Amino acid sequence: MTDYYSRKYQKGKFSNKSDREAEDLVKRTVEDVWGCKLHKYADFDAVDFWAEAFDRTSAFIEVKSRSIGSTAYPTVFLNLRKWSKLLDMAVCTGVPAYFFIVYQDCIKYINVELVDARNHGIGGTRHRVKSENDIEPVIHVPIKEMETLEKCLAA
């Protein structure tokens, strides 16, 4: 994966090869481990995937990737606007919504209904990578509260 700060700024381009590789890895792994089919939302949607099992929507999924190991920091940022959208989808449909992080050493995830949004702050970078307004409200999600997707990353 490309280091976040090594990315080149491209106005209007919000994903790169590393982002797509992380999404593909989660898609393949979740489909295999959870026995469902993941469908990609449009590029600029607030959520990455919806899952299907038994001809029904079974989950909503947002994926982020980090070029570090899962023990490098005690928390990970979840954009408040993404958490809000995922929570809205879960509450309105009764279908669970998950936040996934692909680390170098594992894949972690959490049901967004378990995320404590009171642990919020401002996150992002002033180094222009993806957009001119990268800084925004975020929730600090404790890594220790996240589950590990049980499957080896090497595949």
Side-chain angles (χ1 to χ4, degrees):
M1 284 188 233
T2 305
D3 176 76
Y4 186 82
Y5 297 103
S6 299
R7 297 177 179 185
K8 292 183 180 175
Y9 173 69
Q10 293 180 299
K11 188 173 183 141
K13 189 163 175 91
F14 290 92
S15 68
N16 67 12
K17 185 178 178 190
S18 293
D19 298 329
R20 290 186 299 276
E21 287 171 354
E23 287 179 359
D24 288 344
L25 177 62
V26 167
K27 182 180 187 305
R28 289 191 320 270
T29 307
V30 168
E31 286 178 342
D32 184 48
V33 174
W34 288 3
C36 59
K37 172 77 175 150
L38 265 60
H39 303 275
K40 182 87 171 94
Y41 277 108
D43 283 345
F44 294 105
D45 204 307
V47 177
D48 291 320
F49 294 101
W50 62 276
E52 177 185 4
F54 307 106
D55 296 322
R56 295 185 55 95
T57 304
S58 59
F60 301 104
I61 295 174
E62 173 63 17
V63 178
K64 294 292 177 204
S65 65
R66 298 293 176 260
S67 59
I68 56 174
S70 60
T71 59
Y73 297 100
T75 64
V76 65
F77 291 165
L78 170 56
N79 300 29
L80 185 62
R81 65 186 163 80
K82 289 190 176 276
W83 171 81
S84 177
K85 179 65 172 180
L86 287 162
L87 190 61
D88 282 349
M89 294 170 92
V91 169
C92 290
T93 64
V95 173
Y98 298 95
F99 173 51
F100 278 79
I101 298 286
V102 177
Y103 286 104
Q104 287 181 330
D105 57 342
C106 66
I107 300 173
K108 296 274 192 182
Y109 69 97
I110 189 168
N111 184 317
V112 296
E113 292 187 63
L114 301 176
V115 171
D116 184 357
R118 294 174 299 176
N119 189 14
H120 61 85
I122 306 299
T125 177
R126 298 202 187 282
H127 177 87
R128 249 171 56 170
V129 177
K130 288 186 177 181
S131 74
E132 296 169 346
N133 55 349
D134 187 51
I135 297 172
E136 64 180 296
V138 297
I139 301 168
H140 300 273
V141 180
I143 309 257
K144 67 182 180 185
E145 294 179 8
M146 300 180 84
E147 303 282 334
T148 301
L149 193 60
E150 298 297 327
K151 183 165 171 130
C152 178
L153 289 180

